[in-house]
Amino acid sequence: MNEPFIIPTITTNENGISIFSEVDFSVHQRGGLFLTEQIGSKNFRIRKSDLGYATDFHLAGDATFIIIQKGSLKIELQNGDFKIFNPGDCFIAKDNLPENVDFDSEIHGHKASVVSNESLQAIHIKL
């Protein structure tokens, strides 16, 4: 049971292109619980998005840990790769560009859309 938590992550490669990767957080047993080390956070928000909600390509800005509570959210990359996150799923969005690179919506970022038959509810935790 001492396996790490593997969290899907949207990050950027060396060319500033958004990609999917994974971050693993190792766990330690503490009295029957398996916990990660403390992970600092800045704040959290509760998000709701209506049916049909969709964004253009954008960057995460601040790293954000997102937990889906209700509905399904599709995250799509510029290359067409996508993942659908359902209730109970989580991921980290932290794609961002170096300061000397200007955002180009034809090259950079990811887009998001609600793809279920119900509105989306999620928790956003800024890391």
Side-chain angles (χ1 to χ4, degrees):
M1 187 81 179
N2 204 10
E3 298 173 12
F5 284 107
I6 307 295
I7 308 293
T9 303
I10 307 163
T11 189
T12 45
N13 66 16
E14 63 279 356
N15 298 316
I17 305 300
S18 295
I19 59 170
F20 286 119
S21 64
E22 294 179 333
V23 174
D24 68 26
F25 293 92
S26 51
V27 296
H28 306 282
Q29 184 174 9
R30 292 196 176 112
L33 298 175
F34 293 90
L35 296 171
T36 66
E37 294 298 324
Q38 287 188 0
I39 301 166
S41 62
K42 297 176 184 177
N43 62 56
F44 79 94
R45 295 183 282 185
I46 299 170
R47 166 191 176 165
K48 292 186 176 193
S49 296
D50 292 332
L51 295 173
Y53 169 85
T55 68
D56 292 327
F57 282 100
H58 65 282
L59 296 168
D62 295 336
T64 306
F65 180 69
I66 300 166
I67 306 164
I68 306 298
Q69 295 181 294
K70 185 178 98 169
S72 297
L73 185 67
K74 178 181 180 181
I75 302 293
E76 185 176 348
L77 306 180
Q78 291 280 357
N79 67 4
D81 286 353
F82 69 90
K83 292 185 184 288
I84 297 175
F85 297 94
N86 298 301
D89 291 341
C90 60
F91 66 97
I92 297 172
K94 64 176 190 175
D95 53 342
N96 216 336
L97 296 176
E99 288 184 27
N100 61 338
V101 176
D102 292 329
F103 177 75
D104 181 338
S105 64
E106 300 292 318
I107 299 171
H108 305 118
H110 65 276
K111 62 182 179 178
S113 58
V114 174
V115 294
S116 55
N117 293 327
E118 61 183 334
S119 60
L120 180 78
Q121 183 171 312
I123 298 172
H124 284 212
I125 302 171
K126 293 289 185 179
L127 302 176

